[in-house]
Amino acid sequence: MMHDETRDLLQASPDAAAMTGITAADCADFPRLAGALLGGIAANDGVRATVHAAYAEAPALVETSSHDISETARRNFEPGGRAGALLFSRGVQAVMAHRVAHHLWGKGDQTRAMALKSVLGRALSTDIHPAARIGPGLWLDHGLGCVIGETSVIGRDVSIWHNVTLGSTLTDSGPERHPKVGDGAVIGAGAVILGNIRVGAGANVGAGTVVLQDVPDAMTVAGPRGEIRGPARVRFAPERS
């Protein structure tokens, strides 16, 4: 299991264990490990307790985060497998933080959700609103500079690079003012996607692209005006029967 793999990885490298601050006791189960990891990143015992409690009370949250981590390990090129992705991937940690904040938001604990988003967002250089809906299997590569607005919806097994913005146009203050991203879409570094538009399933958005209108399924958009350049060529999502 994930926590066993993490314990084994750290036991094989005591120096790395000392740098992470994760102990064998922290690897007793996933909720404790998640709390120790994110609490250590934030240097905050309140974060540690909140994350631990959320994962302990919601087994589905553990399952979703485990899928996120497994998919990051599968799609990425870094060593260490799932344990390495959990310990060393800023993107994995940012998505975990969002999962917990979204869990709190769904329970009506909006103040604590925003506090968690703020504290861990500063530590991880991301800004993901707790209300944003993110499907399982998100690969947030690098994570740095990622901004995801309140009414954004991200489908299953999406891949997003650093400095991507899913934002509003500032001319729409309505309840559906942020993008909707379909299953398996791939969004390159620095892309800016604005407004209540849809990026289709399996679509590719090129690095640095500004997207202000819908992107069809399985197509590529690129360039400063988000022009359609033909069929999508990059796919990271697993094949599904």
Side-chain angles (χ1 to χ4, degrees), residues 17 20 30 37 103-104 158 161 174 176 179 183 185 191 213 231:
T20 65
F30 189 87
L37 178 64
H103 173 75
L104 296 172
V158 169
W161 265 250
E176 297 293 338
D183 295 350
Q213 58 188 359

Side-chain angles (χ1 to χ4, degrees), residues 71-90:
E71 277 302 302
T72 294
R74 184 184 70 81
R75 297 178 218 174
N76 207 354
F77 306 106
E78 302 294 339
R82 298 195 305 170
L86 171 63
L87 289 172
F88 309 132
S89 170
R90 181 190 297 262

Side-chain angles (χ1 to χ4, degrees), residues 159-192:
S159 301
I160 298 177
W161 265 250
H162 53 287
N163 289 332
V164 166
T165 297
L166 303 183
S168 71
T169 62
L170 302 182
T171 60
D172 183 359
S173 60
E176 297 293 338
R177 61 190 182 277
H178 294 102
K180 314 299 182 280
V181 180
D183 295 350
V186 178
I187 303 175
V192 178

Side-chain angles (χ1 to χ4, degrees), residues 20 28 50 63 73 78 83 129 131 137-138 140 148 157 159 169 184 201 207 216 233 240:
T20 65
T50 296
E63 182 178 352
E78 302 294 339
H129 196 284
L138 175 62
L140 191 61
I148 299 175
D157 294 320
S159 301
T169 62
R233 298 182 180 181
R240 298 189 179 278

Side-chain angles (χ1 to χ4, degrees), residues 53-64:
Y55 279 109
E57 73 182 20
L61 196 61
V62 175
E63 182 178 352
T64 301

